[in-house]
Coordinates of all heavy atoms in Angstrom, one line a residue:
M267 N -7.1 -13.2 16.9 CA -8.2 -13.5 16.0 C -9.5 -13.3 16.8 O -9.6 -13.7 17.9 CB -8.1 -15.0 15.5 CG -9.2 -15.4 14.7 SD -9.0 -17.1 14.1 CE -7.5 -17.0 13.2
S268 N -10.5 -12.8 16.1 CA -11.8 -12.5 16.7 C -12.7 -13.8 16.9 O -12.6 -14.7 16.1 CB -12.6 -11.4 16.0 OG -13.1 -12.0 14.8
E269 N -13.5 -13.7 17.9 CA -14.5 -14.8 18.1 C -15.5 -14.9 17.0 O -15.9 -16.0 16.6 CB -15.2 -14.6 19.4 CG -14.3 -14.8 20.7 CD -13.7 -16.2 20.7 OE1 -14.4 -17.2 20.5 OE2 -12.5 -16.3 21.0
I270 N -15.8 -13.8 16.4 CA -16.8 -13.8 15.3 C -16.2 -14.5 14.1 O -16.9 -15.2 13.3 CB -17.3 -12.4 15.0 CG1 -18.6 -12.4 14.3 CG2 -16.3 -11.6 14.2 CD1 -19.8 -12.5 15.2
L271 N -14.9 -14.3 13.8 CA -14.2 -15.0 12.7 C -14.2 -16.5 13.0 O -14.4 -17.3 12.1 CB -12.8 -14.4 12.5 CG -12.1 -15.0 11.3 CD1 -12.8 -14.7 10.0 CD2 -10.7 -14.4 11.2
K272 N -14.0 -16.9 14.2 CA -14.0 -18.3 14.5 C -15.4 -18.9 14.3 O -15.5 -20.0 13.8 CB -13.6 -18.5 16.0 CG -12.1 -18.2 16.3 CD -11.8 -18.4 17.7 CE -10.4 -17.9 18.0 NZ -10.1 -18.0 19.5
E273 N -16.4 -18.1 14.7 CA -17.8 -18.6 14.5 C -18.1 -18.7 13.0 O -18.7 -19.7 12.5 CB -18.7 -17.5 15.1 CG -20.2 -17.9 14.9 CD -21.1 -16.9 15.5 OE1 -20.7 -16.0 16.4 OE2 -22.3 -16.9 15.2
A274 N -17.6 -17.8 12.2 CA -17.8 -17.8 10.7 C -17.2 -19.1 10.1 O -17.7 -19.8 9.3 CB -17.3 -16.6 10.0
A275 N -15.9 -19.3 10.5 CA -15.2 -20.5 10.0 C -15.9 -21.8 10.4 O -16.1 -22.7 9.6 CB -13.8 -20.5 10.6
E276 N -16.4 -21.8 11.6 CA -17.2 -23.0 12.1 C -18.4 -23.3 11.2 O -18.7 -24.4 10.9 CB -17.6 -22.9 13.6 CG -18.2 -24.1 14.1 CD -18.5 -23.9 15.6 OE1 -17.6 -23.4 16.3 OE2 -19.6 -24.4 16.0
I277 N -19.1 -22.2 10.9 CA -20.3 -22.3 10.1 C -20.1 -22.9 8.7 O -20.8 -23.8 8.2 CB -21.0 -21.0 9.9 CG1 -21.6 -20.5 11.3 CG2 -22.1 -21.0 8.9 CD1 -22.1 -19.1 11.3
V278 N -19.0 -22.5 8.1 CA -18.7 -23.0 6.7 C -17.8 -24.3 6.7 O -17.6 -24.8 5.6 CB -18.1 -21.9 5.8 CG1 -19.1 -20.7 5.7 CG2 -16.8 -21.5 6.3
G279 N -17.3 -24.7 7.8 CA -16.5 -25.9 7.8 C -15.1 -25.7 8.0 O -14.3 -26.6 7.6
G280 N -14.7 -24.6 8.6 CA -13.3 -24.4 8.9 C -12.6 -23.2 8.3 O -13.2 -22.6 7.3
F281 N -11.4 -22.9 8.7 CA -10.7 -21.7 8.2 C -10.3 -21.9 6.7 O -10.4 -20.9 6.0 CB -9.5 -21.4 9.1 CG -9.9 -20.8 10.4 CD1 -9.9 -21.5 11.5 CD2 -10.3 -19.4 10.5 CE1 -10.3 -21.0 12.8 CE2 -10.7 -18.9 11.7 CZ -10.7 -19.6 12.8
K282 N -9.9 -23.1 6.4 CA -9.4 -23.3 5.0 C -10.6 -23.1 4.1 O -10.5 -22.6 3.0 CB -8.8 -24.7 4.8 CG -7.4 -24.7 5.4 CD -6.7 -26.0 5.2 CE -5.3 -26.0 5.8 NZ -4.6 -27.3 5.5
R283 N -11.8 -23.6 4.5 CA -13.0 -23.5 3.6 C -13.4 -22.1 3.5 O -13.7 -21.6 2.4 CB -14.1 -24.4 4.2 CG -15.4 -24.3 3.5 CD -15.5 -25.1 2.3 NE -16.8 -25.1 1.8 CZ -17.1 -24.9 0.5 NH1 -16.2 -24.8 -0.4 NH2 -18.4 -24.8 0.1
L284 N -13.4 -21.4 4.6 CA -13.8 -19.9 4.6 C -12.9 -19.1 3.7 O -13.3 -18.3 2.9 CB -13.8 -19.4 6.0 CG -14.2 -17.9 6.1 CD1 -15.6 -17.6 5.6 CD2 -14.1 -17.4 7.6
A285 N -11.6 -19.4 3.8 CA -10.6 -18.7 3.0 C -10.8 -19.0 1.5 O -10.8 -18.1 0.7 CB -9.2 -19.1 3.4
A286 N -11.1 -20.3 1.2 CA -11.3 -20.6 -0.2 C -12.6 -19.9 -0.7 O -12.6 -19.4 -1.8 CB -11.5 -22.1 -0.3
L287 N -13.6 -19.8 0.1 CA -14.8 -19.2 -0.3 C -14.6 -17.7 -0.5 O -15.2 -17.0 -1.4 CB -15.9 -19.4 0.7 CG -16.5 -20.8 0.7 CD1 -17.4 -21.0 2.0 CD2 -17.2 -21.2 -0.5
L288 N -13.7 -17.1 0.3 CA -13.4 -15.7 0.1 C -12.3 -15.4 -0.9 O -12.0 -14.3 -1.3 CB -12.8 -15.1 1.5 CG -13.9 -15.1 2.6 CD1 -13.2 -14.7 3.9 CD2 -15.0 -14.1 2.3
G289 N -11.7 -16.5 -1.4 CA -10.6 -16.3 -2.5 C -9.3 -15.8 -1.9 O -8.6 -15.1 -2.6
I290 N -9.0 -16.2 -0.7 CA -7.8 -15.7 0.0 C -7.1 -16.9 0.6 O -7.7 -18.0 0.7 CB -8.0 -14.7 1.0 CG1 -8.9 -15.2 2.2 CG2 -8.6 -13.4 0.4 CD1 -9.0 -14.3 3.4
R291 N -5.8 -16.8 1.0 CA -5.1 -17.8 1.7 C -5.5 -17.8 3.2 O -5.7 -16.8 3.8 CB -3.6 -17.6 1.6 CG -3.1 -17.7 0.2 CD -1.6 -17.5 0.2 NE -1.2 -17.6 -1.2 CZ 0.1 -17.7 -1.5 NH1 1.0 -17.7 -0.6 NH2 0.4 -17.8 -2.8
H292 N -5.7 -19.0 3.7 CA -6.2 -19.1 5.1 C -5.3 -18.5 6.1 O -5.7 -17.9 7.1 CB -6.6 -20.5 5.5 CG -5.5 -21.4 5.8 ND1 -4.7 -22.0 4.8 CD2 -5.0 -21.8 7.0 CE1 -3.8 -22.7 5.5 NE2 -3.9 -22.6 6.8
N293 N -4.0 -18.5 5.8 CA -3.0 -17.9 6.7 C -3.2 -16.4 6.9 O -2.9 -15.9 8.0 CB -1.6 -18.1 6.2 CG -1.2 -19.5 6.2 OD1 -1.9 -20.4 6.8 ND2 -0.1 -19.9 5.6
S294 N -3.7 -15.7 5.9 CA -4.0 -14.3 6.1 C -5.0 -13.9 7.1 O -4.9 -12.9 7.8 CB -4.3 -13.6 4.7 OG -5.6 -14.1 4.3
M295 N -5.9 -14.8 7.4 CA -7.0 -14.5 8.4 C -6.5 -14.6 9.8 O -7.0 -13.9 10.7 CB -8.1 -15.6 8.2 CG -8.9 -15.4 7.0 SD -10.4 -16.4 6.9 CE -9.7 -18.1 7.0
Y296 N -5.4 -15.3 10.0 CA -4.8 -15.3 11.4 C -4.3 -14.0 11.9 O -4.2 -13.8 13.1 CB -3.8 -16.4 11.5 CG -4.4 -17.8 11.3 CD1 -4.3 -18.5 10.1 CD2 -5.1 -18.4 12.4 CE1 -4.9 -19.8 10.0 CE2 -5.7 -19.6 12.3 CZ -5.5 -20.3 11.1 OH -6.1 -21.6 10.9
S297 N -4.0 -13.1 11.0 CA -3.5 -11.8 11.5 C -4.7 -10.8 11.7 O -4.5 -9.7 12.1 CB -2.5 -11.2 10.4 OG -3.2 -10.9 9.2
W298 N -5.9 -11.1 11.3 CA -7.0 -10.2 11.5 C -7.4 -10.1 12.9 O -7.8 -11.1 13.6 CB -8.2 -10.7 10.7 CG -8.1 -10.8 9.2 CD1 -7.1 -10.3 8.4 CD2 -9.1 -11.3 8.3 NE1 -7.3 -10.5 7.1 CE2 -8.6 -11.1 7.0 CE3 -10.4 -11.8 8.4 CZ2 -9.3 -11.5 5.8 CZ3 -11.0 -12.2 7.3 CH2 -10.5 -12.1 6.0
R299 N -7.4 -8.9 13.5 CA -7.9 -8.7 14.8 C -9.4 -8.5 14.7 O -10.2 -8.8 15.6 CB -7.3 -7.4 15.4 CG -5.9 -7.7 15.8 CD -5.3 -6.5 16.5 NE -3.9 -6.8 16.9 CZ -3.2 -6.0 17.6 NH1 -3.7 -4.8 18.0 NH2 -2.0 -6.3 17.9
Q300 N -9.8 -7.9 13.6 CA -11.2 -7.7 13.3 C -11.4 -8.1 11.8 O -10.4 -8.1 11.0 CB -11.7 -6.3 13.4 CG -11.7 -5.7 14.8 CD -12.2 -4.3 14.9 OE1 -12.2 -3.6 13.9 NE2 -12.6 -3.9 16.0
I301 N -12.6 -8.4 11.4 CA -12.9 -8.7 10.0 C -12.7 -7.4 9.2 O -13.3 -6.4 9.6 CB -14.2 -9.3 9.8 CG1 -14.3 -10.7 10.6 CG2 -14.6 -9.5 8.3 CD1 -15.6 -11.3 10.6
P302 N -11.9 -7.4 8.2 CA -11.7 -6.2 7.4 C -13.1 -5.8 6.8 O -13.8 -6.6 6.3 CB -10.8 -6.6 6.3 CG -10.0 -7.8 6.8 CD -11.0 -8.5 7.7
P303 N -13.4 -4.5 6.7 CA -14.7 -4.0 6.2 C -14.9 -4.5 4.8 O -16.0 -4.8 4.4 CB -14.5 -2.5 6.2 CG -13.6 -2.2 7.3 CD -12.6 -3.4 7.3
A304 N -13.8 -4.7 4.0 CA -14.0 -5.2 2.6 C -14.5 -6.6 2.6 O -14.9 -7.1 1.5 CB -12.7 -5.1 1.9
R305 N -14.4 -7.4 3.7 CA -14.8 -8.8 3.7 C -16.1 -9.0 4.4 O -16.7 -10.1 4.4 CB -13.7 -9.6 4.4 CG -12.4 -9.6 3.7 CD -12.4 -10.3 2.4 NE -11.1 -10.3 1.8 CZ -10.9 -10.7 0.6 NH1 -11.9 -11.2 -0.1 NH2 -9.7 -10.7 0.0
V306 N -16.6 -8.0 5.1 CA -17.8 -8.2 5.9 C -19.0 -8.7 5.1 O -19.7 -9.6 5.6 CB -18.2 -6.8 6.6 CG1 -19.5 -6.9 7.3 CG2 -17.1 -6.5 7.7
L307 N -19.3 -8.1 4.0 CA -20.5 -8.5 3.3 C -20.4 -9.9 2.7 O -21.4 -10.6 2.6 CB -20.9 -7.4 2.2 CG -21.2 -6.0 2.7 CD1 -21.6 -5.1 1.6 CD2 -22.4 -6.1 3.7
D308 N -19.2 -10.2 2.3 CA -19.0 -11.6 1.8 C -19.2 -12.6 2.9 O -19.8 -13.6 2.7 CB -17.6 -11.8 1.2 CG -17.3 -11.0 0.0 OD1 -18.3 -10.8 -0.8 OD2 -16.2 -10.6 -0.3
I309 N -18.7 -12.3 4.1 CA -18.9 -13.2 5.2 C -20.3 -13.3 5.6 O -20.8 -14.3 6.0 CB -17.9 -12.8 6.4 CG1 -16.5 -13.1 6.0 CG2 -18.3 -13.6 7.7 CD1 -15.4 -12.7 6.9
E310 N -21.0 -12.2 5.6 CA -22.4 -12.1 5.9 C -23.2 -13.0 4.9 O -24.0 -13.8 5.3 CB -23.0 -10.7 5.8 CG -24.5 -10.6 6.2 CD -25.0 -9.2 6.1 OE1 -24.9 -8.6 5.0 OE2 -25.5 -8.7 7.1
R311 N -22.9 -12.9 3.6 CA -23.5 -13.7 2.6 C -23.3 -15.2 2.8 O -24.1 -16.0 2.7 CB -23.1 -13.3 1.2 CG -23.7 -14.0 0.1 CD -23.1 -13.5 -1.3 NE -21.7 -13.4 -1.3 CZ -20.8 -14.4 -1.6 NH1 -21.3 -15.6 -1.8 NH2 -19.5 -14.2 -1.6
L312 N -22.0 -15.6 3.2 CA -21.6 -17.0 3.3 C -22.1 -17.6 4.6 O -22.4 -18.8 4.6 CB -20.1 -17.1 3.2 CG -19.5 -16.7 1.9 CD1 -18.0 -16.6 2.1 CD2 -19.8 -17.8 0.9
T313 N -22.2 -16.8 5.6 CA -22.5 -17.4 7.0 C -23.8 -17.0 7.6 O -24.3 -17.7 8.5 CB -21.4 -17.0 8.0 OG1 -21.5 -15.6 8.2 CG2 -20.0 -17.5 7.4
G314 N -24.4 -15.9 7.2 CA -25.6 -15.4 7.8 C -25.3 -14.5 9.0 O -26.2 -14.0 9.7
I315 N -24.0 -14.4 9.4 CA -23.6 -13.5 10.5 C -23.7 -12.1 10.1 O -23.0 -11.7 9.1 CB -22.2 -13.8 11.0 CG1 -22.1 -15.3 11.5 CG2 -21.8 -12.9 12.2 CD1 -20.7 -15.7 11.8
S316 N -24.5 -11.3 10.7 CA -24.8 -9.9 10.2 C -23.6 -9.0 10.3 O -22.7 -9.2 11.1 CB -25.9 -9.3 11.0 OG -25.5 -8.7 12.2
R317 N -23.6 -8.1 9.4 CA -22.5 -7.1 9.3 C -22.5 -6.3 10.6 O -21.5 -5.8 11.0 CB -22.8 -6.1 8.1 CG -24.1 -5.3 8.3 CD -24.5 -4.6 7.1 NE -24.9 -5.7 6.2 CZ -25.6 -5.6 5.1 NH1 -25.8 -4.4 4.7 NH2 -26.0 -6.6 4.4
H318 N -23.6 -6.2 11.3 CA -23.7 -5.4 12.5 C -23.0 -6.1 13.7 O -22.4 -5.5 14.5 CB -25.2 -5.1 12.9 CG -25.9 -4.4 11.9 ND1 -25.7 -3.1 11.5 CD2 -26.9 -4.9 11.0 CE1 -26.5 -2.8 10.5 NE2 -27.2 -3.8 10.2
R319 N -23.1 -7.5 13.7 CA -22.3 -8.2 14.7 C -20.8 -8.3 14.3 O -20.0 -8.3 15.2 CB -22.8 -9.7 14.7 CG -24.1 -9.8 15.5 CD -24.5 -11.3 15.8 NE -23.4 -12.0 16.5 CZ -23.1 -13.2 16.3 NH1 -23.7 -13.9 15.3 NH2 -22.1 -13.8 16.9
Q320 N -20.5 -8.4 13.0 CA -19.1 -8.5 12.6 C -18.4 -7.2 12.9 O -17.2 -7.2 13.4 CB -19.0 -8.7 11.1 CG -19.5 -10.1 10.7 CD -19.3 -10.3 9.2 OE1 -18.2 -10.2 8.7 NE2 -20.4 -10.6 8.6
R321 N -18.9 -6.0 12.5 CA -18.3 -4.7 12.6 C -19.2 -3.7 13.1 O -19.6 -2.8 12.3 CB -17.6 -4.3 11.3 CG -16.4 -5.2 10.9 CD -15.2 -5.1 11.8 NE -14.8 -3.8 12.0 CZ -13.7 -3.2 11.4 NH1 -13.1 -3.9 10.5 NH2 -13.3 -2.0 11.6
P322 N -19.6 -3.7 14.4 CA -20.6 -2.6 14.8 C -19.9 -1.2 14.7 O -20.6 -0.2 14.7 CB -20.9 -3.0 16.3 CG -19.8 -4.0 16.7 CD -19.3 -4.6 15.4
D323 N -18.6 -1.2 14.7 CA -17.9 0.1 14.6 C -18.1 0.7 13.2 O -18.0 1.9 13.0 CB -16.4 0.0 14.9 CG -15.7 -1.0 14.0 OD1 -16.3 -2.0 13.7 OD2 -14.6 -0.7 13.6
V324 N -18.4 -0.1 12.2 CA -18.6 0.4 10.8 C -20.1 0.5 10.5 O -20.6 1.5 10.0 CB -18.0 -0.5 9.8 CG1 -18.3 -0.1 8.4 CG2 -16.5 -0.6 10.0
F325 N -20.9 -0.6 10.9 CA -22.3 -0.7 10.5 C -23.3 -0.3 11.6 O -24.5 -0.3 11.4 CB -22.6 -2.1 9.9 CG -21.9 -2.3 8.6 CD1 -20.7 -3.1 8.6 CD2 -22.3 -1.8 7.5 CE1 -20.1 -3.4 7.4 CE2 -21.6 -2.0 6.3 CZ -20.5 -2.8 6.3
G326 N -22.7 -0.1 12.8 CA -23.6 0.2 13.9 C -24.1 -1.0 14.6 O -24.1 -2.1 14.0
D327 N -24.5 -0.9 15.8 CA -25.0 -2.0 16.6 C -26.5 -1.9 16.6 O -27.1 -1.6 17.5 CB -24.5 -2.0 18.0 CG -24.9 -3.2 18.8 OD1 -25.3 -4.2 18.2 OD2 -24.7 -3.2 20.0
C328 N -27.1 -2.2 15.4 CA -28.6 -1.9 15.3 C -29.3 -3.2 14.9 O -29.4 -3.5 13.7 CB -28.9 -0.8 14.4 SG -28.3 -1.0 12.7
S329 N -29.6 -4.0 15.8 CA -30.3 -5.3 15.5 C -31.6 -5.2 14.8 O -32.0 -6.1 14.1 CB -30.4 -6.1 16.8 OG -31.2 -5.4 17.7
E330 N -32.2 -4.0 14.9 CA -33.5 -3.8 14.2 C -33.2 -3.7 12.7 O -34.2 -3.8 11.9 CB -34.2 -2.5 14.6 CG -33.5 -1.2 14.2 CD -32.5 -0.7 15.2 OE1 -32.1 -1.4 16.2 OE2 -32.1 0.5 15.1
H331 N -32.0 -3.6 12.2 CA -31.7 -3.6 10.8 C -30.8 -4.7 10.4 O -30.0 -4.7 9.5 CB -31.0 -2.3 10.4 CG -31.9 -1.1 10.5 ND1 -32.9 -0.9 9.7 CD2 -31.9 -0.1 11.4 CE1 -33.6 0.2 10.0 NE2 -33.0 0.7 11.1
D332 N -30.9 -5.8 11.2 CA -30.1 -7.0 10.9 C -30.7 -7.7 9.7 O -31.8 -8.2 9.7 CB -30.2 -7.9 12.1 CG -28.9 -8.6 12.4 OD1 -27.9 -8.4 11.7 OD2 -28.9 -9.3 13.4
H333 N -29.9 -7.8 8.6 CA -30.3 -8.4 7.4 C -29.7 -9.7 7.2 O -28.5 -9.8 6.9 CB -29.9 -7.5 6.2 CG -30.6 -6.1 6.2 ND1 -31.9 -5.9 5.8 CD2 -30.2 -4.9 6.7 CE1 -32.2 -4.7 5.9 NE2 -31.2 -4.1 6.5
P334 N -30.4 -10.8 7.4 CA -29.8 -12.1 7.2 C -29.4 -12.3 5.7 O -30.0 -11.7 4.8 CB -30.9 -13.1 7.6 CG -32.2 -12.3 7.5 CD -31.8 -10.9 7.7
S335 N -28.5 -13.2 5.5 CA -28.0 -13.5 4.2 C -29.2 -14.1 3.4 O -30.0 -14.9 3.9 CB -26.9 -14.5 4.3 OG -26.6 -15.1 3.1
P336 N -29.2 -13.9 2.0 CA -30.2 -14.6 1.2 C -30.0 -16.1 1.3 O -31.0 -16.9 1.1 CB -29.9 -14.1 -0.2 CG -29.1 -12.9 0.0 CD -28.4 -13.0 1.3
V337 N -28.8 -16.6 1.6 CA -28.6 -18.0 1.7 C -29.4 -18.6 2.9 O -29.9 -19.6 2.9 CB -27.1 -18.3 1.9 CG1 -26.9 -19.8 2.2 CG2 -26.4 -17.9 0.6
F338 N -29.5 -17.7 4.0 CA -30.2 -18.1 5.2 C -31.4 -17.2 5.2 O -31.6 -16.3 6.0 CB -29.3 -17.8 6.4 CG -28.1 -18.7 6.5 CD1 -26.9 -18.3 5.9 CD2 -28.2 -19.9 7.1 CE1 -25.8 -19.1 6.0 CE2 -27.1 -20.7 7.2 CZ -25.9 -20.4 6.6
A339 N -32.4 -17.5 4.3 CA -33.6 -16.6 4.2 C -34.3 -16.5 5.5 O -34.5 -17.5 6.2 CB -34.5 -17.1 3.1
G340 N -34.6 -15.3 5.9 CA -35.3 -15.1 7.2 C -36.1 -13.8 7.1 O -36.2 -13.2 6.0
K341 N -36.5 -13.3 8.2 CA -37.3 -12.1 8.3 C -36.4 -10.9 7.9 O -35.3 -10.8 8.5 CB -37.8 -11.9 9.7 CG -38.7 -10.7 9.9 CD -39.2 -10.6 11.3 CE -39.9 -9.3 11.5 NZ -40.3 -9.1 12.9
Q342 N -36.9 -10.1 7.0 CA -36.1 -8.9 6.6 C -36.9 -7.7 7.3 O -38.1 -7.7 7.4 CB -36.2 -8.7 5.1 CG -35.5 -9.8 4.4 CD -34.0 -9.5 4.2 OE1 -33.5 -8.4 4.4 NE2 -33.2 -10.6 3.9
C343 N -36.1 -6.7 7.6 CA -36.8 -5.5 8.1 C -37.3 -4.7 6.9 O -37.0 -5.1 5.7 CB -35.8 -4.6 8.9 SG -34.6 -3.7 8.0
G344 N -38.0 -3.7 7.1 CA -38.6 -2.9 6.0 C -37.6 -2.1 5.2 O -38.0 -1.6 4.1
E345 N -36.4 -1.9 5.7 CA -35.5 -1.1 5.0 C -34.7 -1.9 3.9 O -34.2 -3.0 4.2 CB -34.5 -0.5 6.0 CG -33.5 0.5 5.4 CD -32.7 1.2 6.5 OE1 -33.2 2.3 6.9 OE2 -31.7 0.7 6.9
D346 N -34.5 -1.3 2.8 CA -33.8 -1.9 1.7 C -32.3 -2.1 2.2 O -31.7 -1.2 2.8 CB -33.8 -1.1 0.5 CG -33.0 -1.6 -0.7 OD1 -33.4 -2.6 -1.3 OD2 -31.8 -1.2 -0.8
E347 N -31.7 -3.3 1.9 CA -30.4 -3.6 2.4 C -29.4 -2.5 1.9 O -28.5 -2.1 2.7 CB -30.0 -5.0 2.0 CG -28.6 -5.4 2.5 CD -28.3 -6.8 2.1 OE1 -29.1 -7.5 1.5 OE2 -27.2 -7.2 2.5
A348 N -29.4 -2.1 0.7 CA -28.5 -1.2 0.1 C -28.6 0.2 0.8 O -27.6 0.8 1.1 CB -28.7 -1.0 -1.4
I349 N -29.8 0.6 1.2 CA -30.0 1.8 1.9 C -29.4 1.7 3.3 O -28.7 2.6 3.8 CB -31.5 2.2 2.0 CG1 -32.0 2.5 0.6 CG2 -31.7 3.3 3.0 CD1 -33.5 2.7 0.5
C350 N -29.6 0.6 3.9 CA -29.1 0.3 5.3 C -27.5 0.4 5.2 O -26.9 1.1 6.1 CB -29.5 -1.0 5.8 SG -28.9 -1.4 7.5
V351 N -26.9 -0.2 4.3 CA -25.5 -0.2 4.1 C -25.0 1.3 3.9 O -24.1 1.7 4.6 CB -25.0 -1.1 3.0 CG1 -23.5 -0.8 2.7 CG2 -25.2 -2.5 3.3
R352 N -25.6 2.0 3.0 CA -25.2 3.4 2.7 C -25.3 4.2 4.0 O -24.5 5.1 4.3 CB -26.0 4.0 1.6 CG -25.5 3.5 0.2 CD -26.1 4.4 -0.9 NE -27.5 4.4 -0.9 CZ -28.3 3.5 -1.5 NH1 -27.8 2.5 -2.2 NH2 -29.6 3.6 -1.5
R353 N -26.4 4.1 4.7 CA -26.7 4.9 5.9 C -25.5 4.7 6.9 O -25.0 5.6 7.5 CB -28.0 4.5 6.5 CG -28.3 5.4 7.7 CD -29.8 5.3 8.1 NE -30.2 3.9 8.3 CZ -30.1 3.2 9.4 NH1 -29.5 3.7 10.4 NH2 -30.5 1.9 9.5
H354 N -25.2 3.4 7.1 CA -24.1 3.1 8.1 C -22.7 3.5 7.6 O -21.9 4.0 8.4 CB -24.1 1.6 8.5 CG -25.3 1.3 9.3 ND1 -25.6 1.8 10.5 CD2 -26.4 0.4 9.0 CE1 -26.8 1.3 10.9 NE2 -27.2 0.5 10.0
V355 N -22.5 3.3 6.4 CA -21.2 3.7 5.8 C -21.1 5.2 5.8 O -20.0 5.7 6.1 CB -21.0 3.1 4.4 CG1 -19.8 3.7 3.7 CG2 -20.9 1.6 4.5
N356 N -22.1 5.9 5.4 CA -22.1 7.4 5.4 C -21.9 7.9 6.8 O -21.3 9.0 6.9 CB -23.3 7.9 4.7 CG -23.4 7.7 3.3 OD1 -22.3 7.5 2.6 ND2 -24.5 7.7 2.7
A357 N -22.3 7.2 7.8 CA -22.1 7.7 9.2 C -20.6 7.6 9.6 O -20.2 8.4 10.5 CB -23.0 6.9 10.1
S358 N -19.9 6.7 9.0 CA -18.5 6.6 9.4 C -17.6 6.3 8.1 O -17.1 5.2 8.0 CB -18.3 5.5 10.4 OG -18.8 4.2 9.8
P359 N -17.5 7.3 7.2 CA -16.7 7.0 6.0 C -15.3 6.7 6.2 O -14.7 6.1 5.4 CB -16.9 8.3 5.2 CG -17.3 9.3 6.2 CD -18.0 8.6 7.3
S360 N -14.7 7.2 7.3 CA -13.3 6.9 7.5 C -13.0 5.4 7.8 O -11.9 5.0 7.7 CB -12.8 7.8 8.7 OG -13.4 7.4 9.9
A361 N -14.1 4.7 8.1 CA -13.9 3.3 8.4 C -13.7 2.4 7.1 O -13.3 1.3 7.2 CB -15.1 2.8 9.2
L362 N -14.0 3.0 6.0 CA -13.9 2.2 4.7 C -12.5 2.2 4.2 O -11.8 3.2 4.3 CB -14.8 2.8 3.7 CG -16.3 2.6 3.8 CD1 -17.1 3.3 2.7 CD2 -16.6 1.1 3.8
P363 N -12.1 1.1 3.6 CA -10.8 1.1 2.9 C -10.9 2.0 1.6 O -12.0 2.3 1.2 CB -10.6 -0.3 2.6 CG -11.9 -0.9 2.5 CD -12.8 -0.1 3.5
S364 N -9.8 2.3 1.1 CA -9.8 3.1 -0.1 C -10.5 2.4 -1.2 O -10.5 1.2 -1.3 CB -8.3 3.5 -0.6 OG -7.7 2.3 -0.9
G365 N -11.2 3.1 -2.1 CA -11.9 2.5 -3.2 C -13.4 2.4 -2.8 O -14.2 2.1 -3.6
G366 N -13.8 2.6 -1.5 CA -15.1 2.7 -1.1 C -15.8 1.3 -1.0 O -17.0 1.2 -0.8
R367 N -15.0 0.2 -1.2 CA -15.6 -1.1 -1.1 C -15.9 -1.4 0.4 O -15.1 -1.1 1.2 CB -14.7 -2.1 -1.7 CG -15.3 -3.5 -1.7 CD -14.6 -4.4 -2.6 NE -15.2 -5.7 -2.5 CZ -14.6 -6.8 -2.3 NH1 -13.3 -6.8 -2.1 NH2 -15.2 -8.0 -2.2
H368 N -17.0 -2.0 0.7 CA -17.3 -2.3 2.1 C -17.8 -3.7 2.2 O -18.3 -4.5 2.0 CB -18.3 -1.4 2.7 CG -19.5 -1.1 1.9 ND1 -19.5 -0.1 1.0 CD2 -20.7 -1.7 1.9 CE1 -20.7 -0.1 0.4 NE2 -21.4 -1.0 1.0

């Protein structure tokens, strides 16, 4: 289990709470070596942990495009979030699960 997932769980009040917010069973998270790309944006929205920290292999390690969650309103960079996501996803399309959800 990744340290970033432990951090996310701590922010929301534990693994059971995080799983409930994601709509999954908490046991399934224990097999995650990395956060699945399909869950990254949900975890970002729930915790404020950026997609770039969660999965730099998918979204790049670019802190200049770190978009905090609307729940944790903060400084936004000048780039639209959807454009940022598309740019990073287009750079590594093989990293996405089937269906194109990220």
